[in-house]
Amino acid sequence: MASAPKIAKSSKTKNDALDEEAEGEKFIHQQDAIEKIDEVQNDIDRLNEQCSDEILKVEQKYNKLRQPHYQRRSEMIAKISNFWVTAFVNHPQVSALLNEEDEEALQSLTKVEVQEFEDVKSGYKINFHFAENQYFENKIISKEFHLTETGDPSSKSTPIVWKENKDLTKVRSSSGRKRSHSEQQESFFSWFLDHTDAGSDELGEVIKDDIWPNPLQYYLVC
Amino acid sequence: MASAPKIAKSSKTKNDALDEEAEGEKFIHQQDAIEKIDEVQNDIDRLNEQCSDEILKVEQKYNKLRQPHYQRRSEMIAKISNFWVTAFVNHPQVSALLNEEDEEALQSLTKVEVQEFEDVKSGYKINFHFAENQYFENKIISKEFHLTETGDPSSKSTPIVWKENKDLTKVRSSSGRKRSHSEQQESFFSWFLDHTDAGSDELGEVIKDDIWPNPLQYYLVC
């Protein structure tokens, strides 16, 4: 066809007409094949959804089965003074976020709980339980991550009720303890104010996926 | 205790002895707690393994269930000329790897198959089926990725039997078709020779996780 002379449609030869017909038929066959691929694709998509649902059910089942063990682990951990602050200090990534006063404040951290939400996919919450301390009034400070109805990641935290002049997320006035004159006070607790990385919160994910599954290994590395 | 005078062990007072005893008891209690945490951790680890096993079984079941659909999809795709080369050219990441002659050679690609190995975790294999073409003798060229017994990732490929002067992975001699004088011929087919990224082979993962689950969407984007 490439070398055939261009001719007006009205004057086409019998061969051209046959070729066009063949081309047309080929086109119809291909369209038909595409539709069938699309149907098969729908079947595959349905199977993928069923597969995800079944995996979700397995995860939910084991989340429930793990609960009493986590409970018991928390009870044992509570018997060890400074367990959590030690584990945090020994964890390379978390340690980098801790200044001296953070460590002092975290000595009152008695319990950490990671709760995966029922449907797993939609998020998780980390509860930090504190004993009476000189920094804040809260007994529990939480940060949670979830997907909004539109599928966007979002996070929220318990507001921290700081004691007077004890807000570790704020630069201390010169009347306070002597400090370097950095503009912004970097503190572990600033993480509770930061909701910019709700979709992939580094500290949240380190606690959930790395420390929580086995905190003892970080407590013992010292 | 901090302000107590330092005294030799032999002359310690009754209070010091009591404190030491208390310290010793605390130490024993903490050791005991650590051992119990370790036991609980073993229970959790066992549950995690069971959970992974169950998820693996679900994935294996659906891998089997998807097979006849993939089979039927391949049959339909075979009816559309240039389906795979079109999908590859329309895929932004794969397209970047294709030179003109690659595209020509890939016009003879009639079938792509992704096989996840039975235990899923251990790897996958991609089979590329070709019609008779001017570049190589192979009817099938495969690349597979798996973990060795030591857990290290590794990959291997079918050796390509190039026709004379047609090796697309080699710089063409000046007697060949006119080309730019680049030192290294960049070609899609060089991927079959490259086993440096077996653990996270970008093209392999794009084909397995992005194109294979729904190639029609890339075929139709044109």
Side-chain angles (χ1 to χ4, degrees), chain A residues 30 37 40-41 43 48 50-51 54 61-62 66 69 73 76 81 213, chain B residues 30 37 40-41 43 47-48 50-51 54 61-62 66 69 73 76 81 213:
Chain A
Q30 294 210 351
I37 293 170
V40 175
Q41 199 61 54
D43 294 338
N48 291 345
Q50 286 172 25
C51 181
E54 281 192 33
K61 181 176 93 177
Y62 279 93
R66 279 186 284 253
H69 299 280
R73 197 178 69 181
M76 292 301 134
S81 45
Chain B
Q30 293 210 353
I37 293 170
V40 175
Q41 199 60 54
D43 294 338
L47 281 175
N48 291 345
Q50 285 173 25
C51 181
E54 281 193 32
K61 180 176 93 175
Y62 280 93
R66 278 186 284 254
H69 299 281
R73 197 179 69 180
M76 291 301 134
S81 45

PDB file of all heavy atoms in Angstrom, chain A residues 30 37 40-41 43 48 50-51 54 61-62 66 69 73 76 81 213, chain B residues 30 37 40-41 43 47-48 50-51 54 61-62 66 69 73 76 81 213:
ATOM      1  N   GLN A  30      -9.726  -5.988  16.461  1.00  0.00           N
ATOM      2  CA  GLN A  30      -8.891  -5.455  17.536  1.00  0.00           C
ATOM      3  C   GLN A  30      -9.758  -4.801  18.607  1.00  0.00           C
ATOM      4  O   GLN A  30      -9.524  -4.977  19.797  1.00  0.00           O
ATOM      5  CB  GLN A  30      -7.877  -4.451  16.971  1.00  0.00           C
ATOM      6  CG  GLN A  30      -6.854  -5.125  16.051  1.00  0.00           C
ATOM      7  CD  GLN A  30      -5.511  -4.427  16.073  1.00  0.00           C
ATOM      8  OE1 GLN A  30      -5.370  -3.360  16.641  1.00  0.00           O
ATOM      9  NE2 GLN A  30      -4.518  -5.043  15.459  1.00  0.00           N
ATOM     10  N   ILE A  37     -10.322  -7.918  26.615  1.00  0.00           N
ATOM     11  CA  ILE A  37      -9.236  -7.721  27.597  1.00  0.00           C
ATOM     12  C   ILE A  37      -9.776  -6.921  28.785  1.00  0.00           C
ATOM     13  O   ILE A  37      -9.488  -7.223  29.947  1.00  0.00           O
ATOM     14  CB  ILE A  37      -8.037  -6.973  26.956  1.00  0.00           C
ATOM     15  CG1 ILE A  37      -7.364  -7.842  25.892  1.00  0.00           C
ATOM     16  CG2 ILE A  37      -7.007  -6.581  28.024  1.00  0.00           C
ATOM     17  CD1 ILE A  37      -6.331  -7.094  25.050  1.00  0.00           C
ATOM     18  N   VAL A  40     -11.777  -9.183  31.005  1.00  0.00           N
ATOM     19  CA  VAL A  40     -10.879 -10.043  31.792  1.00  0.00           C
ATOM     20  C   VAL A  40     -10.241  -9.222  32.910  1.00  0.00           C
ATOM     21  O   VAL A  40     -10.117  -9.668  34.051  1.00  0.00           O
ATOM     22  CB  VAL A  40      -9.776 -10.650  30.897  1.00  0.00           C
ATOM     23  CG1 VAL A  40      -8.782 -11.428  31.749  1.00  0.00           C
ATOM     24  CG2 VAL A  40     -10.380 -11.550  29.837  1.00  0.00           C
ATOM     25  N   GLN A  41      -9.864  -7.974  32.560  1.00  0.00           N
ATOM     26  CA  GLN A  41      -9.236  -7.095  33.543  1.00  0.00           C
ATOM     27  C   GLN A  41     -10.170  -6.861  34.740  1.00  0.00           C
ATOM     28  O   GLN A  41      -9.739  -6.848  35.887  1.00  0.00           O
ATOM     29  CB  GLN A  41      -8.856  -5.774  32.874  1.00  0.00           C
ATOM     30  CG  GLN A  41      -7.822  -4.994  33.625  1.00  0.00           C
ATOM     31  CD  GLN A  41      -6.508  -5.752  33.780  1.00  0.00           C
ATOM     32  OE1 GLN A  41      -5.929  -6.214  32.815  1.00  0.00           O
ATOM     33  NE2 GLN A  41      -6.044  -5.895  35.019  1.00  0.00           N
ATOM     34  N   ASP A  43     -12.420  -8.942  35.801  1.00  0.00           N
ATOM     35  CA  ASP A  43     -12.395 -10.177  36.602  1.00  0.00           C
ATOM     36  C   ASP A  43     -11.158 -10.198  37.493  1.00  0.00           C
ATOM     37  O   ASP A  43     -11.226 -10.563  38.671  1.00  0.00           O
ATOM     38  CB  ASP A  43     -12.374 -11.412  35.688  1.00  0.00           C
ATOM     39  CG  ASP A  43     -13.664 -11.554  34.889  1.00  0.00           C
ATOM     40  OD1 ASP A  43     -14.690 -10.988  35.326  1.00  0.00           O
ATOM     41  OD2 ASP A  43     -13.642 -12.211  33.832  1.00  0.00           O
ATOM     42  N   ASN A  48      -8.442  -9.362  42.793  1.00  0.00           N
ATOM     43  CA  ASN A  48      -7.489  -8.605  43.609  1.00  0.00           C
ATOM     44  C   ASN A  48      -8.165  -8.020  44.842  1.00  0.00           C
ATOM     45  O   ASN A  48      -7.597  -8.036  45.937  1.00  0.00           O
ATOM     46  CB  ASN A  48      -6.867  -7.473  42.784  1.00  0.00           C
ATOM     47  CG  ASN A  48      -5.939  -7.994  41.702  1.00  0.00           C
ATOM     48  OD1 ASN A  48      -5.529  -9.151  41.726  1.00  0.00           O
ATOM     49  ND2 ASN A  48      -5.615  -7.140  40.743  1.00  0.00           N
ATOM     50  N   GLN A  50     -10.894  -9.204  46.320  1.00  0.00           N
ATOM     51  CA  GLN A  50     -11.177 -10.315  47.239  1.00  0.00           C
ATOM     52  C   GLN A  50      -9.922 -10.718  47.993  1.00  0.00           C
ATOM     53  O   GLN A  50      -9.955 -10.985  49.198  1.00  0.00           O
ATOM     54  CB  GLN A  50     -11.708 -11.522  46.471  1.00  0.00           C
ATOM     55  CG  GLN A  50     -13.155 -11.367  45.996  1.00  0.00           C
ATOM     56  CD  GLN A  50     -13.559 -12.525  45.075  1.00  0.00           C
ATOM     57  OE1 GLN A  50     -13.000 -13.614  45.139  1.00  0.00           O
ATOM     58  NE2 GLN A  50     -14.539 -12.282  44.208  1.00  0.00           N
ATOM     59  N   CYS A  51      -8.807 -10.749  47.281  1.00  0.00           N
ATOM     60  CA  CYS A  51      -7.530 -11.125  47.899  1.00  0.00           C
ATOM     61  C   CYS A  51      -7.169 -10.127  49.006  1.00  0.00           C
ATOM     62  O   CYS A  51      -6.829 -10.531  50.120  1.00  0.00           O
ATOM     63  CB  CYS A  51      -6.446 -11.167  46.824  1.00  0.00           C
ATOM     64  SG  CYS A  51      -4.814 -11.641  47.425  1.00  0.00           S
ATOM     65  N   GLU A  54      -9.344 -10.671  52.026  1.00  0.00           N
ATOM     66  CA  GLU A  54      -8.971 -11.850  52.827  1.00  0.00           C
ATOM     67  C   GLU A  54      -7.707 -11.596  53.633  1.00  0.00           C
ATOM     68  O   GLU A  54      -7.595 -12.016  54.788  1.00  0.00           O
ATOM     69  CB  GLU A  54      -8.780 -13.074  51.918  1.00  0.00           C
ATOM     70  CG  GLU A  54     -10.107 -13.689  51.509  1.00  0.00           C
ATOM     71  CD  GLU A  54      -9.944 -15.059  50.864  1.00  0.00           C
ATOM     72  OE1 GLU A  54      -9.020 -15.806  51.235  1.00  0.00           O
ATOM     73  OE2 GLU A  54     -10.758 -15.369  49.973  1.00  0.00           O
ATOM     74  N   LYS A  61      -7.397 -10.575  62.396  1.00  0.00           N
ATOM     75  CA  LYS A  61      -7.425 -11.702  63.329  1.00  0.00           C
ATOM     76  C   LYS A  61      -6.166 -11.706  64.192  1.00  0.00           C
ATOM     77  O   LYS A  61      -6.243 -11.811  65.427  1.00  0.00           O
ATOM     78  CB  LYS A  61      -7.527 -13.022  62.548  1.00  0.00           C
ATOM     79  CG  LYS A  61      -7.589 -14.249  63.412  1.00  0.00           C
ATOM     80  CD  LYS A  61      -7.785 -15.520  62.589  1.00  0.00           C
ATOM     81  CE  LYS A  61      -6.462 -16.158  62.236  1.00  0.00           C
ATOM     82  NZ  LYS A  61      -6.595 -17.428  61.506  1.00  0.00           N
ATOM     83  N   TYR A  62      -5.009 -11.542  63.557  1.00  0.00           N
ATOM     84  CA  TYR A  62      -3.762 -11.585  64.321  1.00  0.00           C
ATOM     85  C   TYR A  62      -3.567 -10.332  65.170  1.00  0.00           C
ATOM     86  O   TYR A  62      -2.966 -10.402  66.240  1.00  0.00           O
ATOM     87  CB  TYR A  62      -2.570 -11.865  63.397  1.00  0.00           C
ATOM     88  CG  TYR A  62      -2.488 -13.344  63.107  1.00  0.00           C
ATOM     89  CD1 TYR A  62      -3.091 -13.890  61.982  1.00  0.00           C
ATOM     90  CD2 TYR A  62      -1.880 -14.207  64.013  1.00  0.00           C
ATOM     91  CE1 TYR A  62      -3.066 -15.250  61.738  1.00  0.00           C
ATOM     92  CE2 TYR A  62      -1.850 -15.569  63.789  1.00  0.00           C
ATOM     93  CZ  TYR A  62      -2.448 -16.086  62.650  1.00  0.00           C
ATOM     94  OH  TYR A  62      -2.430 -17.445  62.446  1.00  0.00           O
ATOM     95  N   ARG A  66      -2.699 -10.794  69.010  1.00  0.00           N
ATOM     96  CA  ARG A  66      -1.493 -10.209  69.611  1.00  0.00           C
ATOM     97  C   ARG A  66      -1.817  -9.355  70.840  1.00  0.00           C
ATOM     98  O   ARG A  66      -0.964  -9.169  71.698  1.00  0.00           O
ATOM     99  CB  ARG A  66      -0.747  -9.358  68.574  1.00  0.00           C
ATOM    100  CG  ARG A  66       0.140 -10.176  67.623  1.00  0.00           C
ATOM    101  CD  ARG A  66       0.964  -9.267  66.721  1.00  0.00           C
ATOM    102  NE  ARG A  66       0.136  -8.703  65.666  1.00  0.00           N
ATOM    103  CZ  ARG A  66       0.199  -9.073  64.390  1.00  0.00           C
ATOM    104  NH1 ARG A  66       1.070  -9.970  64.001  1.00  0.00           N
ATOM    105  NH2 ARG A  66      -0.595  -8.544  63.495  1.00  0.00           N
ATOM    106  N   HIS A  69      -0.890 -10.382  74.443  1.00  0.00           N
ATOM    107  CA  HIS A  69       0.567 -10.453  74.607  1.00  0.00           C
ATOM    108  C   HIS A  69       1.156  -9.045  74.767  1.00  0.00           C
ATOM    109  O   HIS A  69       2.036  -8.836  75.592  1.00  0.00           O
ATOM    110  CB  HIS A  69       1.196 -11.160  73.407  1.00  0.00           C
ATOM    111  CG  HIS A  69       0.725 -12.569  73.241  1.00  0.00           C
ATOM    112  ND1 HIS A  69       1.235 -13.604  73.985  1.00  0.00           N
ATOM    113  CD2 HIS A  69      -0.229 -13.103  72.447  1.00  0.00           C
ATOM    114  CE1 HIS A  69       0.625 -14.734  73.645  1.00  0.00           C
ATOM    115  NE2 HIS A  69      -0.276 -14.446  72.707  1.00  0.00           N
ATOM    116  N   ARG A  73       3.119  -7.644  77.900  1.00  0.00           N
ATOM    117  CA  ARG A  73       4.430  -7.028  77.703  1.00  0.00           C
ATOM    118  C   ARG A  73       4.479  -5.658  78.378  1.00  0.00           C
ATOM    119  O   ARG A  73       5.449  -5.326  79.063  1.00  0.00           O
ATOM    120  CB  ARG A  73       4.713  -6.894  76.199  1.00  0.00           C
ATOM    121  CG  ARG A  73       6.169  -6.658  75.864  1.00  0.00           C
ATOM    122  CD  ARG A  73       6.409  -6.583  74.363  1.00  0.00           C
ATOM    123  NE  ARG A  73       5.821  -5.384  73.776  1.00  0.00           N
ATOM    124  CZ  ARG A  73       5.872  -5.071  72.481  1.00  0.00           C
ATOM    125  NH1 ARG A  73       6.472  -5.892  71.619  1.00  0.00           N
ATOM    126  NH2 ARG A  73       5.318  -3.975  72.026  1.00  0.00           N
ATOM    127  N   MET A  76       4.951  -5.928  82.107  1.00  0.00           N
ATOM    128  CA  MET A  76       6.332  -6.261  82.475  1.00  0.00           C
ATOM    129  C   MET A  76       7.250  -5.050  82.290  1.00  0.00           C
ATOM    130  O   MET A  76       8.127  -4.780  83.107  1.00  0.00           O
ATOM    131  CB  MET A  76       6.854  -7.423  81.602  1.00  0.00           C
ATOM    132  CG  MET A  76       6.187  -8.749  81.872  1.00  0.00           C
ATOM    133  SD  MET A  76       6.408  -9.232  83.602  1.00  0.00           S
ATOM    134  CE  MET A  76       4.739  -9.750  83.999  1.00  0.00           C
ATOM    135  N   SER A  81      12.338   0.545  85.375  1.00  0.00           N
ATOM    136  CA  SER A  81      12.383   2.004  85.317  1.00  0.00           C
ATOM    137  C   SER A  81      13.190   2.441  84.096  1.00  0.00           C
ATOM    138  O   SER A  81      14.170   1.802  83.723  1.00  0.00           O
ATOM    139  CB  SER A  81      12.964   2.588  86.609  1.00  0.00           C
ATOM    140  OG  SER A  81      14.105   1.861  86.985  1.00  0.00           O
ATOM    141  N   PRO A 213       7.241  -3.578  67.415  1.00  0.00           N
ATOM    142  CA  PRO A 213       7.276  -5.034  67.242  1.00  0.00           C
ATOM    143  C   PRO A 213       8.261  -5.722  68.185  1.00  0.00           C
ATOM    144  O   PRO A 213       8.067  -6.877  68.514  1.00  0.00           O
ATOM    145  CB  PRO A 213       7.717  -5.216  65.782  1.00  0.00           C
ATOM    146  CG  PRO A 213       7.311  -3.952  65.108  1.00  0.00           C
ATOM    147  CD  PRO A 213       7.484  -2.875  66.141  1.00  0.00           C
TER     148      PRO A 213
ATOM    149  N   GLN B  30      14.058  -6.605  87.954  1.00  0.00           N
ATOM    150  CA  GLN B  30      14.141  -6.117  86.571  1.00  0.00           C
ATOM    151  C   GLN B  30      14.595  -7.230  85.632  1.00  0.00           C
ATOM    152  O   GLN B  30      14.069  -7.384  84.534  1.00  0.00           O
ATOM    153  CB  GLN B  30      15.101  -4.924  86.493  1.00  0.00           C
ATOM    154  CG  GLN B  30      14.564  -3.696  87.240  1.00  0.00           C
ATOM    155  CD  GLN B  30      15.039  -2.386  86.638  1.00  0.00           C
ATOM    156  OE1 GLN B  30      15.870  -2.363  85.749  1.00  0.00           O
ATOM    157  NE2 GLN B  30      14.478  -1.291  87.125  1.00  0.00           N
ATOM    158  N   ILE B  37       9.526 -10.423  79.449  1.00  0.00           N
ATOM    159  CA  ILE B  37       9.287  -9.684  78.191  1.00  0.00           C
ATOM    160  C   ILE B  37       9.795 -10.513  77.016  1.00  0.00           C
ATOM    161  O   ILE B  37       9.143 -10.617  75.979  1.00  0.00           O
ATOM    162  CB  ILE B  37       9.996  -8.302  78.206  1.00  0.00           C
ATOM    163  CG1 ILE B  37       9.357  -7.387  79.263  1.00  0.00           C
ATOM    164  CG2 ILE B  37       9.905  -7.629  76.834  1.00  0.00           C
ATOM    165  CD1 ILE B  37      10.145  -6.106  79.516  1.00  0.00           C
ATOM    166  N   VAL B  40       7.336 -13.222  76.236  1.00  0.00           N
ATOM    167  CA  VAL B  40       6.172 -12.670  75.531  1.00  0.00           C
ATOM    168  C   VAL B  40       6.550 -12.360  74.092  1.00  0.00           C
ATOM    169  O   VAL B  40       5.791 -12.619  73.153  1.00  0.00           O
ATOM    170  CB  VAL B  40       5.680 -11.379  76.225  1.00  0.00           C
ATOM    171  CG1 VAL B  40       4.561 -10.738  75.416  1.00  0.00           C
ATOM    172  CG2 VAL B  40       5.200 -11.680  77.634  1.00  0.00           C
ATOM    173  N   GLN B  41       7.772 -11.812  73.917  1.00  0.00           N
ATOM    174  CA  GLN B  41       8.224 -11.481  72.572  1.00  0.00           C
ATOM    175  C   GLN B  41       8.262 -12.717  71.676  1.00  0.00           C
ATOM    176  O   GLN B  41       7.893 -12.662  70.504  1.00  0.00           O
ATOM    177  CB  GLN B  41       9.610 -10.842  72.672  1.00  0.00           C
ATOM    178  CG  GLN B  41       9.994 -10.046  71.453  1.00  0.00           C
ATOM    179  CD  GLN B  41       9.035  -8.897  71.191  1.00  0.00           C
ATOM    180  OE1 GLN B  41       8.784  -8.076  72.048  1.00  0.00           O
ATOM    181  NE2 GLN B  41       8.471  -8.854  69.995  1.00  0.00           N
ATOM    182  N   ASP B  43       6.318 -15.292  71.968  1.00  0.00           N
ATOM    183  CA  ASP B  43       4.918 -15.588  71.612  1.00  0.00           C
ATOM    184  C   ASP B  43       4.471 -14.685  70.465  1.00  0.00           C
ATOM    185  O   ASP B  43       3.798 -15.124  69.528  1.00  0.00           O
ATOM    186  CB  ASP B  43       3.999 -15.348  72.822  1.00  0.00           C
ATOM    187  CG  ASP B  43       4.280 -16.336  73.951  1.00  0.00           C
ATOM    188  OD1 ASP B  43       4.835 -17.412  73.657  1.00  0.00           O
ATOM    189  OD2 ASP B  43       3.940 -16.024  75.109  1.00  0.00           O
ATOM    190  N   LEU B  47       3.279 -15.666  66.609  1.00  0.00           N
ATOM    191  CA  LEU B  47       2.035 -15.189  65.992  1.00  0.00           C
ATOM    192  C   LEU B  47       2.332 -14.485  64.660  1.00  0.00           C
ATOM    193  O   LEU B  47       1.616 -14.678  63.681  1.00  0.00           O
ATOM    194  CB  LEU B  47       1.302 -14.230  66.934  1.00  0.00           C
ATOM    195  CG  LEU B  47       0.511 -14.861  68.065  1.00  0.00           C
ATOM    196  CD1 LEU B  47      -0.047 -13.778  68.991  1.00  0.00           C
ATOM    197  CD2 LEU B  47      -0.649 -15.710  67.516  1.00  0.00           C
ATOM    198  N   ASN B  48       3.401 -13.683  64.652  1.00  0.00           N
ATOM    199  CA  ASN B  48       3.752 -12.985  63.417  1.00  0.00           C
ATOM    200  C   ASN B  48       4.064 -13.958  62.291  1.00  0.00           C
ATOM    201  O   ASN B  48       3.663 -13.748  61.143  1.00  0.00           O
ATOM    202  CB  ASN B  48       4.962 -12.067  63.649  1.00  0.00           C
ATOM    203  CG  ASN B  48       4.624 -10.894  64.549  1.00  0.00           C
ATOM    204  OD1 ASN B  48       3.455 -10.595  64.775  1.00  0.00           O
ATOM    205  ND2 ASN B  48       5.646 -10.242  65.075  1.00  0.00           N
ATOM    206  N   GLN B  50       2.951 -17.072  62.049  1.00  0.00           N
ATOM    207  CA  GLN B  50       1.682 -17.693  61.634  1.00  0.00           C
ATOM    208  C   GLN B  50       0.908 -16.752  60.724  1.00  0.00           C
ATOM    209  O   GLN B  50       0.324 -17.167  59.728  1.00  0.00           O
ATOM    210  CB  GLN B  50       0.832 -18.027  62.853  1.00  0.00           C
ATOM    211  CG  GLN B  50       1.307 -19.246  63.630  1.00  0.00           C
ATOM    212  CD  GLN B  50       0.531 -19.424  64.935  1.00  0.00           C
ATOM    213  OE1 GLN B  50      -0.614 -18.970  65.054  1.00  0.00           O
ATOM    214  NE2 GLN B  50       1.140 -20.059  65.909  1.00  0.00           N
ATOM    215  N   CYS B  51       0.918 -15.469  61.075  1.00  0.00           N
ATOM    216  CA  CYS B  51       0.199 -14.479  60.284  1.00  0.00           C
ATOM    217  C   CYS B  51       0.789 -14.421  58.873  1.00  0.00           C
ATOM    218  O   CYS B  51       0.047 -14.455  57.876  1.00  0.00           O
ATOM    219  CB  CYS B  51       0.281 -13.120  60.981  1.00  0.00           C
ATOM    220  SG  CYS B  51      -0.583 -11.790  60.120  1.00  0.00           S
ATOM    221  N   GLU B  54      -0.255 -17.425  56.867  1.00  0.00           N
ATOM    222  CA  GLU B  54      -1.651 -17.381  56.399  1.00  0.00           C
ATOM    223  C   GLU B  54      -1.812 -16.415  55.233  1.00  0.00           C
ATOM    224  O   GLU B  54      -2.555 -16.682  54.287  1.00  0.00           O
ATOM    225  CB  GLU B  54      -2.582 -16.999  57.555  1.00  0.00           C
ATOM    226  CG  GLU B  54      -2.860 -18.173  58.477  1.00  0.00           C
ATOM    227  CD  GLU B  54      -4.012 -17.908  59.440  1.00  0.00           C
ATOM    228  OE1 GLU B  54      -4.952 -17.173  59.079  1.00  0.00           O
ATOM    229  OE2 GLU B  54      -3.955 -18.444  60.572  1.00  0.00           O
ATOM    230  N   LYS B  61      -3.290 -18.755  46.851  1.00  0.00           N
ATOM    231  CA  LYS B  61      -4.615 -19.133  46.354  1.00  0.00           C
ATOM    232  C   LYS B  61      -5.036 -18.198  45.224  1.00  0.00           C
ATOM    233  O   LYS B  61      -5.469 -18.647  44.162  1.00  0.00           O
ATOM    234  CB  LYS B  61      -5.627 -19.062  47.513  1.00  0.00           C
ATOM    235  CG  LYS B  61      -7.039 -19.452  47.096  1.00  0.00           C
ATOM    236  CD  LYS B  61      -7.989 -19.465  48.289  1.00  0.00           C
ATOM    237  CE  LYS B  61      -8.703 -18.147  48.452  1.00  0.00           C
ATOM    238  NZ  LYS B  61      -9.710 -18.151  49.520  1.00  0.00           N
ATOM    239  N   TYR B  62      -4.880 -16.896  45.447  1.00  0.00           N
ATOM    240  CA  TYR B  62      -5.310 -15.950  44.413  1.00  0.00           C
ATOM    241  C   TYR B  62      -4.388 -15.956  43.205  1.00  0.00           C
ATOM    242  O   TYR B  62      -4.834 -15.723  42.085  1.00  0.00           O
ATOM    243  CB  TYR B  62      -5.507 -14.551  45.005  1.00  0.00           C
ATOM    244  CG  TYR B  62      -6.837 -14.466  45.704  1.00  0.00           C
ATOM    245  CD1 TYR B  62      -6.949 -14.730  47.069  1.00  0.00           C
ATOM    246  CD2 TYR B  62      -8.004 -14.223  44.978  1.00  0.00           C
ATOM    247  CE1 TYR B  62      -8.184 -14.709  47.703  1.00  0.00           C
ATOM    248  CE2 TYR B  62      -9.234 -14.197  45.593  1.00  0.00           C
ATOM    249  CZ  TYR B  62      -9.318 -14.441  46.963  1.00  0.00           C
ATOM    250  OH  TYR B  62     -10.543 -14.433  47.569  1.00  0.00           O
ATOM    251  N   ARG B  66      -6.013 -16.337  39.601  1.00  0.00           N
ATOM    252  CA  ARG B  66      -5.800 -15.340  38.540  1.00  0.00           C
ATOM    253  C   ARG B  66      -5.283 -15.980  37.247  1.00  0.00           C
ATOM    254  O   ARG B  66      -5.465 -15.421  36.172  1.00  0.00           O
ATOM    255  CB  ARG B  66      -4.816 -14.263  39.023  1.00  0.00           C
ATOM    256  CG  ARG B  66      -5.461 -13.178  39.879  1.00  0.00           C
ATOM    257  CD  ARG B  66      -4.463 -12.078  40.188  1.00  0.00           C
ATOM    258  NE  ARG B  66      -3.527 -12.508  41.217  1.00  0.00           N
ATOM    259  CZ  ARG B  66      -3.549 -12.080  42.479  1.00  0.00           C
ATOM    260  NH1 ARG B  66      -4.416 -11.158  42.866  1.00  0.00           N
ATOM    261  NH2 ARG B  66      -2.697 -12.520  43.356  1.00  0.00           N
ATOM    262  N   HIS B  69      -7.361 -16.265  34.028  1.00  0.00           N
ATOM    263  CA  HIS B  69      -7.691 -14.935  33.504  1.00  0.00           C
ATOM    264  C   HIS B  69      -6.488 -14.338  32.761  1.00  0.00           C
ATOM    265  O   HIS B  69      -6.648 -13.745  31.695  1.00  0.00           O
ATOM    266  CB  HIS B  69      -8.133 -14.009  34.640  1.00  0.00           C
ATOM    267  CG  HIS B  69      -9.362 -14.489  35.349  1.00  0.00           C
ATOM    268  ND1 HIS B  69     -10.628 -14.316  34.832  1.00  0.00           N
ATOM    269  CD2 HIS B  69      -9.511 -15.167  36.509  1.00  0.00           C
ATOM    270  CE1 HIS B  69     -11.506 -14.850  35.661  1.00  0.00           C
ATOM    271  NE2 HIS B  69     -10.858 -15.375  36.691  1.00  0.00           N
ATOM    272  N   ARG B  73      -6.316 -13.383  28.937  1.00  0.00           N
ATOM    273  CA  ARG B  73      -5.876 -12.036  28.561  1.00  0.00           C
ATOM    274  C   ARG B  73      -4.749 -12.117  27.526  1.00  0.00           C
ATOM    275  O   ARG B  73      -4.764 -11.388  26.526  1.00  0.00           O
ATOM    276  CB  ARG B  73      -5.393 -11.287  29.815  1.00  0.00           C
ATOM    277  CG  ARG B  73      -5.297  -9.794  29.629  1.00  0.00           C
ATOM    278  CD  ARG B  73      -4.841  -9.108  30.910  1.00  0.00           C
ATOM    279  NE  ARG B  73      -3.446  -9.396  31.238  1.00  0.00           N
ATOM    280  CZ  ARG B  73      -2.819  -8.920  32.307  1.00  0.00           C
ATOM    281  NH1 ARG B  73      -3.450  -8.146  33.175  1.00  0.00           N
ATOM    282  NH2 ARG B  73      -1.553  -9.221  32.524  1.00  0.00           N
ATOM    283  N   MET B  76      -6.119 -12.830  24.086  1.00  0.00           N
ATOM    284  CA  MET B  76      -6.744 -11.643  23.480  1.00  0.00           C
ATOM    285  C   MET B  76      -5.686 -10.640  23.022  1.00  0.00           C
ATOM    286  O   MET B  76      -5.792 -10.062  21.947  1.00  0.00           O
ATOM    287  CB  MET B  76      -7.669 -10.951  24.491  1.00  0.00           C
ATOM    288  CG  MET B  76      -8.916 -11.753  24.816  1.00  0.00           C
ATOM    289  SD  MET B  76      -9.886 -12.073  23.329  1.00  0.00           S
ATOM    290  CE  MET B  76     -10.238 -13.815  23.577  1.00  0.00           C
ATOM    291  N   SER B  81      -1.975  -6.440  17.057  1.00  0.00           N
ATOM    292  CA  SER B  81      -0.572  -6.304  16.651  1.00  0.00           C
ATOM    293  C   SER B  81       0.076  -5.153  17.416  1.00  0.00           C
ATOM    294  O   SER B  81      -0.550  -4.131  17.679  1.00  0.00           O
ATOM    295  CB  SER B  81      -0.457  -6.108  15.141  1.00  0.00           C
ATOM    296  OG  SER B  81      -1.396  -5.165  14.690  1.00  0.00           O
ATOM    297  N   PRO B 213      -0.171  -5.985  36.078  1.00  0.00           N
ATOM    298  CA  PRO B 213      -1.508  -5.977  36.687  1.00  0.00           C
ATOM    299  C   PRO B 213      -2.572  -5.370  35.764  1.00  0.00           C
ATOM    300  O   PRO B 213      -3.732  -5.708  35.870  1.00  0.00           O
ATOM    301  CB  PRO B 213      -1.343  -5.120  37.947  1.00  0.00           C
ATOM    302  CG  PRO B 213       0.108  -5.233  38.292  1.00  0.00           C
ATOM    303  CD  PRO B 213       0.813  -5.311  36.963  1.00  0.00           C
TER     304      PRO B 213
END
